[in-house]
Amino acid sequence: MEEVNLHHIFETGFFLVLIAAGITAIAKKVKQPYPIALVIVGALIGLFNIPLLEPLKMFITEGEIFNFVIITLFLPALLGEAALKLPFSHLKENKKPILALAFGGTLLSFLIIGFTAHFFLGLSLPAAFVFGALMSATDPVSVLSIFKSVGVKKRLSVVIEGESLFNDGLAVVLFKISAFSLISYLDAGWSGLGMGLWDFIRVISLGLIVGGALGYGFSVLTKYFDDYPLEIIFSILLFYGSFLIAESLHASGVIAVVVAALIFGNFGSKIGMSPTTKLNINNFWDVAALLANSIVFLMIGLEITRIDMTEKWGMIVLAIFVVLVARSAAVYTSMSFIRDFSVRWKHILNWGGLKGSLSIALVLSLPRSFDGREDLLILAFSVVLFSLVVQGLTIKPLISFLGINKKEEEYGEYELLLSQLHRYESALKEINDAKGKFYLTKTVTDEYVSKYQQKMEITIAELDELYRRKPELKEKQYETLRKVIFYAEHEAVDKLSKEEIISSETAETERRKLTETIVELSHDKEG
C-alpha cells in the first residue's frame, strides 16, 4: 500500500512540474511575468472540472500538503537562493531604505492592518493581527521578474529584494506571536507587553545567531575542498539545516536562512570557493529557484479556487482597500527620512509590494480551532489574488508611465550615436560598391567619402566623450566582447577534443580555466 501511495505522489509531483514548466516556458517566450501566468492558469484549472487533473487538484489543495511544500520544502531554497546572490556591498549601500522598509514599514503596516481589521472588519483581536502579519509580508518574485523584463535601476531591485528577505522573517515572527501568544500577553497587562517584546527580540536574535554560526561554519568548511558538487551539497545542508535548527529552537527559521545564505554567498565565496564553484552553485540554485517558484505559483492558483468568496464580497473589497492603504502609509512614512530616493521610486515600491505564497502558507498553517480561521482564509486568498493579478499586471505599465527604466537620457544619446555610426559606415560601403557598379568618377566619390568620414570622426569623438561621462556604457561593450571571446575559445577546445587532437582530460582542464577566467572578469566588474 505504501509503495502505491509513494508511486502516486511521485506521479502527481511529476505532472505538477510538467504543467508548471510548460506554462513558465510559454510565459518567458512571450515575455510575460511567469508567476502571474501560473496563478491564472492554476485558478482556471481549479475552476473547471478537468477529469485528468482532478487527482492533482485533490492532492495539492490539501492544506497540510500545501503548507509542507511551501514552508518546509521550498521556502528555505527560495530565501537561500535570493540571499546567496545578493552582494553584501549592495545591501550596505542601500541599508537605510532596506531597514526602513523591512522593519519600520513592516511594523507600521502590521499595526495599521491589525487595528483596522479589528474595528472595521469585525475580526477578533488575535485574528486581526494575524491578518496584519500575513499582509505585511511582501513577495518579490513576481515584481522582480517584471523589473528584469522592463529594465529598471539595479538599486530599486536591490531595495525591494532586500526588504522582502528581511520583512518575511519579521512577518513570520509577528504571525506566530499574534496567533498563539497575543491573548496571554494582553491578559498579563504591562508585564505581558514586556514578555511579548522579549519573545519578539529572542526569536529574531536566536535566528540571527543560528544563521550566523552555521553560515560562518560552512564558509570555513569550503576552504578545505575544491569540489563544486560537494560544495553545492554544503549549500543545501546549510539552507535547510539553518531553517530546521532555528525552528526547532523556536527561533525564526526565515531569518536564520537569510543570514546564513548572505554569509555563505559573500564571506564563504571569498575565502573558500573557486570561480568555477561559484558559477556552478549559482547555476544550481537558479534552476532550483525557477522550479520552486513555478510550482509554488501554480499551487497558489489551484488553492485559491478552494475558497468560496461569493458571500463575502463587501468584506473582501474592504480588506483589499485596507491593505493598500496600509502599504502606502508604511512606504511613504518609513521612506520619508531617506533623502536620495525619488518619489517615483516610492510609487513603484508601494504598488510593487505584492503578496504571495508565504501569506497563503501561513494562513493554512493555522489550527482549525483558531477563531476566525475561515474569514482569514477568504481575506488572505482574495488579497493575494488581487495583488498578483491586478497589481502584477499593472506594475509594468506603471513603470513605463513613470519612466523608471535604464534607458535614461545618456543611454538614449548612446543609441543615437551608435545608429549614426552604422548609417555612415553603411553609406561609405554603398559608395564603394556604387563606384564599381555604376562607373562613378573618383572626384565625385571622394567628395562624398570625405564628408562621411568627417561625420564619422565627429560621432566617434562624441561617443568617446559620452563614454568618459558614463563609463558603464563602455563596460557593457567590454562585457559583450568578453563573452564573444570566451565562447570562441570554448568552441575551439571542443573542436580539438571532438577531433581527438587533444585528450578529454586536457579539454576539461582548458574548459575549467576558461570558466574561471570569465567568472573572475565578471566578479571584477561587480566589485
Side-chain angles (χ1 to χ4, degrees):
M1 183 67 180
E2 187 178 347
E3 287 182 8
V4 174
N5 287 336
L6 287 173
H7 184 70
H8 172 68
I9 290 170
F10 178 78
E11 278 187 343
T12 305
F14 178 77
F15 201 47
L16 182 70
V17 171
L18 187 65
I19 296 172
I23 298 165
T24 302
I26 293 168
K28 281 178 171 282
K29 191 69 178 174
V30 297
K31 296 182 179 178
Q32 294 299 320
Y34 72 90
I36 298 168
L38 286 158
V39 170
I40 293 171
V41 172
L44 291 173
I45 292 171
L47 286 171
F48 295 104
N49 184 17
I50 306 171
L52 184 65
L53 301 179
E54 284 305 305
L56 176 69
K57 285 160 57 177
M58 293 302 294
F59 179 75
I60 292 302
T61 53
E62 290 178 23
E64 292 77 9
I65 297 292
F66 186 94
N67 193 52
F68 167 77
V69 170
I70 302 298
I71 291 185
T72 308
L73 196 58
F74 287 154
L75 187 59
L78 292 172
L79 291 170
E81 182 269 340
L84 178 75
K85 295 190 294 184
L86 191 58
F88 187 73
S89 58
H90 290 178
L91 283 177
K92 190 176 178 181
E93 288 165 8
N94 299 288
K95 63 183 177 183
K96 288 182 180 178
I98 289 172
L99 290 174
L101 286 165
F103 292 93
T106 302
L107 285 169
L108 187 58
S109 172
F110 168 71
L111 292 172
I112 292 172
I113 295 172
F115 282 115
T116 308
H118 177 61
F119 289 110
F120 293 99
L121 294 177
L123 297 177
S124 65
L125 210 55
F129 281 99
V130 163
F131 184 60
L134 293 171
M135 295 299 107
S136 297
T138 58
D139 182 87
V141 176
S142 298
V143 76
L144 285 179
S145 70
I146 298 166
F147 279 11
K148 287 175 184 175
S149 66
V150 176
V152 299
K153 284 284 191 178
K154 179 67 178 174
R155 188 187 180 200
L156 188 54
S157 296
V158 168
V159 169
I160 202 163
E161 189 172 6
E163 178 206 1
S164 178
L165 283 174
F166 290 104
N167 99 327
D168 280 0
L170 189 59
V172 172
V173 174
L174 293 170
F175 168 80
K176 290 182 178 178
I177 290 174
S178 302
F180 306 109
S181 308
L182 185 61
I183 293 298
S184 60
Y185 293 152
L186 291 174
D187 289 342
W190 287 107
S191 62
L193 181 63
M195 287 165 53
L197 188 60
W198 164 246
D199 200 23
F200 180 75
I201 293 170
R202 180 191 62 80
V203 170
I204 291 177
S205 301
L206 201 52
L208 289 170
I209 292 168
V210 170
L214 288 174
Y216 178 79
F218 274 88
S219 295
V220 172
L221 188 61
T222 60
K223 289 173 65 177
Y224 302 102
F225 300 92
D226 185 20
D227 186 340
Y228 73 80
L230 183 61
E231 290 173 87
I232 288 173
I233 293 172
F234 287 164
S235 69
I236 296 171
L237 292 173
L238 175 62
F239 297 169
Y240 285 94
S242 55
F243 182 83
L244 295 171
I245 290 170
E247 288 292 316
S248 68
L249 296 173
H250 304 290
S252 172
V254 173
I255 290 175
V257 174
V258 170
V259 172
L262 276 172
I263 293 172
F264 192 71
N266 288 273
F267 175 66
S269 65
K270 186 177 180 181
I271 68 164
M273 294 183 201
S274 67
T276 304
T277 297
K278 283 186 276 189
L279 180 67
N280 281 286
I281 285 181
N282 284 337
N283 287 343
F284 171 82
W285 286 109
D286 279 342
V287 174
L290 178 62
L291 179 62
N293 277 317
S294 298
I295 295 172
V296 163
F297 284 102
L298 181 61
M299 288 176 67
I300 289 175
L302 287 166
E303 190 70 43
I304 280 172
T305 57
R306 297 270 291 181
I307 304 298
D308 184 9
M309 304 175 187
T310 51
E311 297 179 3
K312 300 278 186 178
W313 285 115
M315 195 179 189
I316 288 169
V317 171
L318 185 55
I320 292 171
F321 177 75
V322 165
V323 170
L324 291 176
V325 169
R327 174 67 182 175
S328 298
V331 169
Y332 297 118
T333 303
S334 63
M335 295 292 286
S336 61
F337 304 102
I338 310 299
R339 301 289 182 188
D340 58 340
F341 217 86
S342 74
V343 175
R344 292 183 303 164
W345 283 22
K346 292 174 187 176
H347 296 334
I348 297 301
L349 285 174
N350 177 27
W351 197 244
L354 307 185
K355 318 305 173 192
S357 55
L358 182 61
S359 300
I360 289 184
L362 287 175
V363 75
L364 286 170
S365 71
L366 288 170
R368 298 190 184 276
S369 58
F370 185 84
D371 182 34
R373 184 179 187 271
E374 289 305 310
D375 284 341
L376 285 173
L377 283 172
I378 292 169
L379 296 179
F381 278 43
S382 303
V383 174
V384 168
L385 185 61
F386 173 86
S387 174
L388 289 174
V389 176
V390 178
Q391 289 178 260
L393 288 174
T394 53
I395 189 76
K396 191 171 181 177
L398 181 62
I399 290 170
S400 299
F401 175 74
L402 294 174
I404 303 172
N405 51 45
K406 288 177 183 173
K407 293 183 180 179
E408 295 181 337
E409 188 179 341
E410 289 86 355
Y411 197 84
E413 189 180 345
Y414 168 73
E415 288 184 339
L416 182 64
L417 292 172
L418 208 61
S419 173
Q420 287 173 357
L421 273 178
H422 279 280
R423 278 170 44 206
Y424 302 153
E425 283 181 348
S426 297
L428 285 169
K429 184 176 181 299
E430 195 62 34
I431 289 169
N432 286 325
D433 290 345
K435 185 179 178 181
K437 189 184 294 183
F438 301 110
Y439 302 101
L440 299 175
T441 62
K442 189 174 183 298
T443 307
V444 173
T445 56
D446 282 356
E447 184 181 337
Y448 271 89
V449 166
S450 177
K451 284 181 181 178
Y452 274 99
Q453 283 177 339
Q454 284 178 6
K455 287 181 178 182
M456 282 191 70
E457 286 171 7
I458 292 169
T459 306
I460 290 168
E462 289 176 354
L463 200 56
D464 286 338
E465 171 60 22
L466 185 61
Y467 286 150
R468 189 189 62 77
R469 294 199 323 263
K470 212 75 175 165
E472 59 267 30
L473 293 174
K474 200 168 186 178
E475 187 57 40
K476 282 188 73 175
Q477 294 191 340
Y478 282 134
E479 188 179 347
T480 303
L481 190 59
R482 286 177 197 137
K483 287 179 182 177
V484 170
I485 294 168
F486 166 72
Y487 289 124
E489 290 188 44
H490 205 286
E491 192 175 333
V493 171
D494 286 343
K495 186 178 179 182
L496 290 172
S497 178
K498 284 176 184 175
E499 294 176 359
E500 297 184 353
I501 295 172
I502 60 174
S503 67
S504 57
E505 290 81 6
T506 302
E508 186 58 38
T509 302
E510 288 292 283
R511 289 190 195 103
R512 179 181 284 266
K513 286 179 184 175
L514 285 168
T515 303
E516 290 184 356
T517 301
I518 198 71
V519 173
E520 281 170 357
L521 287 169
S522 300
H523 183 69
D524 291 342
K525 176 179 172 291
E526 287 176 6

